[in-house]
């Protein structure tokens, strides 16, 4: 059928080609509709350098024929449009594109809402309006309560391997809506962060090398299944974050690479386009049509799937033109520097756009660079995110915790340096999937010492992580001490819970999570210096730290004492400001947590003995490799 101006508005074409069509998914792709009295599918595609474009599929045996849907160019806009009367939901299709050299290629729909189950790669005509949402209370409530002074405890999940009965026997979205959501609620997490679920051809890319940016992967079922999962999360009070990969895409032939025979979504300069570290291609952020594609995609997940926020992957690789590139591929920007000016502009525009429509959203930068003001507003020169992963804290802490306690005194600064910059950004403290793969070992197996000491070190590490300023993220399996690295091709080792120390670790993490949620001092002032104060930061010889966290509405601080050594201290004095009693909130050495059970009183009376610059002090027994939390009960 010939194109008609009525099928696509001139305003949409203008906005798309100027980088301002923020909901391009409503126009582009395959849409069920009625046109000229006939029901069928409208197809809209950006392919400015194509000679011909048709739609082929299971409705015409994948052959160019009279039953193909011929698309026609809309002037010089680079956009093609056509209508397929009689086509219905569920039809599989691809675009057959004849490029300028006369070569025919089959491409999946960049705006396709569903894909065939891999290894098949066609797009599927799909309506996204079948699910009736029941999360209005959640959606309204998050608009009224900004996240900054609330607890945030994120459970990072790879849906395919959270539970698996046999290789490639994945739980589907609807099963996860019951099992995963119930589990997350029972453990006390506030959010789930899902590794990328945009359609991807290779299981072991974990979704970080995508082909279908608008298609939730079919590995786990149809789109409405994912909607049911998110809906149930919201009805149970759990937010959902999506790992979002806008920096690069994979090179598979059916995807975005050389889409119309030319470098369309990527730069024509191979030095700019290639990501040699990952074998992928970078988006060309300077093209307005690519901006429309990506900005629309960000809003798509918030609009259609009610996602609560995006964790933007690999920001450091986006903003550095020469990130992990050999000398022969290095380039400079127009100012003679190495900052990717177009990528920086795109990230600012991304956050401005998302927060314009969804000011309550969470936009998190996974950024290992030292680029400043990542979480500052764009009008102040920042990138405009509201959170940044604290990769420096994570790397320093893991280096320290992997050190044998006998050698920790010389590395004391690794666990204290983060407080020099802890309030320069709004930070999330991540213990993510990247730290438990590729030979890095699981968190438990990173810990030094004998079997019992590994668990003691990990409990101590989790306790310090929970009491350090910043929101929290833990990758699945860490909560029960997964001993092996994460195996993306198999389920987590849930059978470990039959062993006492793993079961005890699971209990400890659950109690730790609940204590965190119930203790405003640990999250109310995460981003302000007022919420944290060192008591003794310099006791490197004993591998000891003590500090206090303060509530906004109470003068009763939380006193934290960490012992990173193998020595126990029957008498250890800690300075406090308030007289009166101090109640024990947490003892990681409790026997039911797998600890030694070293006797520690539940209530201690402060003495009028000055210490650490404070007017009073408490005298506490401190077990080896432990963390203790005390709460002042004074008025």
């Amino acid at each position: 059928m010939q194109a008609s101006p009525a099928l696509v508005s001139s305003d949409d074409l203008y906005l798309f080609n100027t980088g301002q069509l923020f909901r391009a998914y409503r126009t582009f792709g395959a849409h069920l509709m009625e046109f000229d009295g006939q029901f069928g599918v409208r197809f809209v595609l950006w392919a400015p350098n194509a000679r011909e474009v048709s739609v082929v599929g299971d409705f015409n045996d994948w052959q160019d024929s009279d039953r193909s849907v011929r698309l026609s160019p809309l002037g010089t806009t680079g956009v093609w449009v056509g209508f397929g009367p009689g086509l219905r939901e569920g039809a599989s299709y691809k675009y057959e594109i004849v490029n300028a050299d006369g070569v025919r290629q089959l491409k999946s729909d960049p705006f396709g809402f569903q894909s065939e189950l891999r290894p098949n790669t066609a797009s599927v005509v799909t309506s996204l309006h079948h699910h009736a949402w029941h999360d209005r209370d959640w959606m309204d409530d998050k608009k009224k309560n900004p996240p900054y002074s609330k607890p945030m405890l994120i459970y990072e999940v790879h849906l395919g391997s959270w539970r698996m009965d046999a290789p490639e026997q994945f739980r589907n979205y609807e099963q996860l809506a019951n099992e995963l959501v119930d589990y997350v609620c029972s453990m006390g997490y506030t959010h789930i962060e899902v590794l990328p679920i945009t359609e991807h051809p290779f299981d072991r890319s974990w979704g970080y090398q995508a082909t279908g940016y608008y298609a939730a992967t079919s590995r786990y079922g149809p789109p409405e299944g994912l909607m049911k999962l998110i809906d149930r999360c919201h009805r149970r009070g759990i937010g959902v974050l999506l790992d979002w990969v806008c920096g690069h895409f994979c090179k598979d032939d059916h995807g975005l690479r050389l889409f119309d025979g030319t470098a369309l979504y990527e730069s024509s300069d191979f030095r700019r386009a290639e990501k040699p570290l990952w074998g992928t291609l970078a988006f060309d952020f300077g093209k307005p049509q690519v901006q429309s594609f990506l900005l629309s995609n960000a809003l798509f997940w918030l609009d259609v799937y009610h996602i609560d926020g995006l964790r933007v992957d690999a920001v450091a690789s986006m903003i550095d033109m020469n990130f992990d590139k050999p000398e022969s591929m290095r380039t400079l920007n127009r100012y003679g520097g190495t900052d990717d000016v177009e990528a920086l502009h795109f990230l600012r525009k991304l956050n401005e756009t998302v927060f314009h429509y969804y000011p309550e959203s969470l936009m998190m930068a996974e950024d290992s660079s030292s680029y400043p003001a990542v979480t500052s507003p764009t009008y102040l020169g920042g990138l405009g995110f509201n959170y940044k992963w604290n990769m420096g804290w994570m790397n320093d802490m893991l280096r320290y915790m992997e050190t044998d306690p006998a050698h920790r005194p010389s590395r004391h600064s690794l666990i204290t340096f983060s407080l020099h910059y802890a309030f320069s950004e709004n930070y999330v403290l991540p213990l993510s999937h990247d730290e438990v793969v590729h030979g890095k070992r699981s968190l438990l197996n990173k810990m030094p010492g004998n079997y019992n000491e590994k668990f003691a070190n990990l409990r101590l590490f989790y306790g310090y992580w929970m009491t350090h300023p910043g929101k929290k993220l833990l990758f699945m399996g860490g909560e029960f001490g997964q001993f092996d690295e994460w195996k993306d091709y198999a389920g987590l080792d849930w059978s470990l819970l039959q062993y006492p120390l793993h079961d005890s670790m699971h209990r400890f993490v659950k109690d730790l999570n609940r204590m965190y949620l119930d203790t405003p001092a640990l999250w109310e002032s995460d981003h302000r210096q007022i919420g944290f104060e060192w008591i003794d930061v310099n006791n490197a010889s004993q591998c000891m730290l003590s500090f206090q966290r303060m509530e906004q509405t109470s003068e009763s601080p939380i006193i934290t004492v960490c012992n990173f050594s193998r020595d126990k201290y029957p008498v250890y004095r800690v300075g406090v400001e308030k007289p009166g009693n101090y109640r024990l909130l947490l003892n990681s050495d409790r026997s039911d947590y797998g600890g030694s059970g070293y006797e520690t009183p539940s209530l201690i009376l402060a003495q009028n003995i000055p210490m650490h610059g404070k007017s009073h002090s408490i005298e506490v027994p401190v077990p080896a490799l432990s963390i203790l939390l005390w709460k002042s009960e004074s008025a």
Side-chain angles (χ1 to χ4, degrees), residues 254-269:
H254 67 281
L256 300 178
R257 176 177 175 268
L258 298 174
F259 188 80
D260 63 357
T262 67
L264 199 58
Y265 289 87
E266 69 272 31
S267 171
S268 58
D269 182 344

Side-chain angles (χ1 to χ4, degrees), residues 83 242 253 258 283 365 391 428 467 473 506:
F83 183 75
L242 176 64
D253 286 342
L258 298 174
F283 282 102
M391 313 293 277
V428 172
T467 53
L473 178 143
H506 197 235

Side-chain angles (χ1 to χ4, degrees), residues 476-539:
M476 63 182 197
E479 72 274 19
F480 59 81
Q482 175 96 5
F483 203 86
D484 288 343
E485 280 191 338
W486 170 44
K487 302 179 289 293
D488 56 83
Y489 52 84
L492 294 179
D493 295 327
W494 294 101
S495 61
L496 289 174
L497 289 173
Q498 66 184 301
Y499 299 102
L501 280 179
H502 292 277
D503 182 59
S504 296
M505 174 63 73
H506 197 235
R507 184 181 311 111
F508 170 74
V509 169
K510 184 175 183 178
D511 287 355
L512 182 67
N513 291 352
R514 293 296 178 187
M515 183 211 66
Y516 167 78
L517 297 178
D518 293 339
T519 310
L522 299 181
W523 39 262
E524 273 187 340
S525 299
D526 268 325
H527 315 304
R528 299 189 301 160
Q529 179 70 56
I530 193 174
F532 179 92
E533 182 185 351
W534 287 116
I535 297 173
D536 185 6
V537 65
N538 296 315
N539 191 351

Side-chain angles (χ1 to χ4, degrees), residues 37 60 139 182 185 197 206 332 445 521:
N60 66 358
M139 301 295 280
D182 287 349
C185 289
I197 51 174
W206 314 331
L332 300 176
N445 211 13

Side-chain angles (χ1 to χ4, degrees), residues 310-515:
L310 303 173
R311 175 266 202 186
V312 179
D313 182 63
V315 168
S317 78
M318 294 174 64
I319 65 179
D320 180 354
M321 295 173 66
N322 300 320
F323 184 87
D324 278 333
K325 291 188 177 180
E327 189 68 34
S328 62
M329 293 181 64
R330 297 193 173 184
T331 56
L332 300 176
N333 62 33
R334 58 182 175 270
Y335 305 111
T338 59
D339 286 348
D340 191 319
V341 177
E342 288 80 12
L344 289 167
H345 171 75
F346 166 75
L347 289 171
R348 293 186 178 103
K349 188 174 180 180
L350 165 69
N351 288 314
E352 289 171 354
T353 302
V354 168
F355 288 128
H356 173 78
Y357 292 102
Y358 292 97
E360 71 280 4
S361 288
L362 296 168
M363 293 296 290
M364 298 182 175
E366 189 262 325
D367 178 22
S368 59
S369 78
S370 58
Y371 195 86
V374 172
T375 58
S376 292
T378 57
Y379 62 81
L380 295 178
L383 289 187
F385 290 93
N386 54 4
Y387 282 97
K388 173 181 175 174
W389 277 24
N390 193 336
M391 313 293 277
W393 174 88
M394 178 195 69
N395 288 323
D396 284 351
M397 281 303 304
L398 291 177
R399 284 173 58 201
Y400 182 84
M401 294 305 302
E402 289 180 68
T403 302
D404 188 276
H407 303 293
R408 285 176 178 171
S410 63
R411 294 193 155 196
H412 193 71
S413 63
L414 288 174
I415 55 172
T416 62
F417 179 70
S418 59
L419 268 300
H420 288 288
Y421 62 86
F423 308 105
S424 62
E425 304 273 11
N426 298 333
Y427 281 119
V428 172
L429 306 183
L431 297 173
S432 76
H433 68 279
D434 278 329
E435 307 315 308
V436 294
V437 290
H438 302 319
K440 294 179 183 178
R441 297 172 296 166
S442 69
L443 291 179
L444 178 64
N445 211 13
K446 291 178 193 285
M447 300 297 112
N450 61 36
Y451 189 65
N452 286 325
E453 286 177 339
K454 284 181 177 293
F455 283 90
N457 270 298
L458 189 58
R459 292 192 301 271
L460 166 58
F461 179 30
Y462 285 163
Y464 185 55
W465 165 68
M466 197 67 81
T467 53
H468 188 289
K471 307 307 182 185
K472 323 299 177 187
L473 178 143
L474 181 66
F475 184 57
M476 63 182 197
E479 72 274 19
F480 59 81
Q482 175 96 5
F483 203 86
D484 288 343
E485 280 191 338
W486 170 44
K487 302 179 289 293
D488 56 83
Y489 52 84
L492 294 179
D493 295 327
W494 294 101
S495 61
L496 289 174
L497 289 173
Q498 66 184 301
Y499 299 102
L501 280 179
H502 292 277
D503 182 59
S504 296
M505 174 63 73
H506 197 235
R507 184 181 311 111
F508 170 74
V509 169
K510 184 175 183 178
D511 287 355
L512 182 67
N513 291 352
R514 293 296 178 187
M515 183 211 66

Side-chain angles (χ1 to χ4, degrees), residues 459 587-600 623-624:
R459 292 192 301 271
N587 175 8
S588 68
D589 189 57
R590 272 173 38 179
S591 57
D592 60 333
Y593 294 153
S596 70
Y598 188 66
E599 187 173 349
T600 305

